[in-house]
Amino acid sequence: MGASNARVCPHCGNRFTHPFVKASAWLIGILLSLGLILAVMTSSKDHTVTTNPTPVPLPATQLTQDEAFFVIQHCGRPDREFMEKASGTTIRHLVYRKFNTELFFYRGVDRPKWSLGNAFVPNRDEDITMEEANRRMPCAKGQLHSLLESK
């Protein structure tokens, strides 16, 4: 017979581990897993815009005459769309990954229809010119013109 304090069974090779060591290993594994999950969730929140994701409905009479509708009609549904409120204005973002372009439209009391404000590289604070936006989005047929930029 073997010693009572053997670390391995002499017959089958099974390791004898103290219950405290097993519980500690499980606890450390669970804590590491939770930490990893939390880190992934936190990093994904850093890349999302914390604005009002609820679309603001447009009256049917305005839908057929605004610039955002024109873009969606000619270029298809965007990969991502979101709204945000800013001092008396609502801003609507349309992100087209296929064209590597994010357009933002705005409307307010003085401008009831969606008007194109600017174009960006998605997920960056990098503006692109309307000329570049029209080049990237041939589906818009050269009709992207910003009210913020001279034509």
Side-chain angles (χ1 to χ4, degrees):
M1 295 216 164
S4 62
N5 62 353
R7 292 183 178 204
V8 178
C9 175
H11 303 292
C12 66
N14 184 32
R15 288 185 47 174
F16 298 124
T17 307
H18 193 275
F20 177 78
V21 173
K22 283 184 181 180
S24 297
W26 274 100
L27 182 63
I28 290 171
I30 289 170
L31 290 176
L32 287 174
S33 297
L34 287 175
L36 180 65
I37 291 169
L38 186 61
V40 168
M41 289 174 56
T42 303
S43 70
S44 68
K45 285 182 183 176
D46 292 342
H47 298 294
T48 59
V49 177
T50 55
T51 58
N52 180 11
T54 308
V56 179
L58 282 175
T61 56
Q62 291 179 1
L63 247 174
T64 58
Q65 300 173 352
D66 68 31
E67 295 175 20
F69 180 77
F70 171 85
V71 171
I72 293 170
Q73 184 180 32
H74 288 86
C75 298
R77 294 184 58 94
D79 297 298
R80 184 164 177 241
E81 179 177 0
F82 60 96
M83 307 266 191
E84 61 183 316
K85 295 279 187 186
S87 64
T89 252
T90 302
I91 299 173
R92 181 180 185 184
H93 296 258
L94 302 180
V95 179
Y96 288 91
R97 287 190 198 119
K98 177 167 115 176
F99 304 117
N100 195 26
T101 303
E102 177 178 344
L103 302 173
F104 95 74
F105 300 85
Y106 63 94
R107 71 174 186 181
V109 178
D110 61 333
R111 187 168 293 280
K113 299 175 191 152
W114 292 112
S115 299
L116 181 58
N118 209 349
F120 299 95
V121 175
N123 298 321
R124 290 197 212 151
D125 223 6
E126 185 181 324
D127 295 358
I128 59 175
T129 65
M130 287 298 119
E131 182 180 335
E132 175 66 14
N134 278 303
R135 187 189 66 72
R136 290 179 181 209
M137 299 182 74
C139 54
K141 301 176 182 167
Q143 297 300 309
L144 299 176
H145 301 287
S146 170
L147 293 175
L148 304 177
E149 186 178 88
S150 61
K151 291 183 181 183

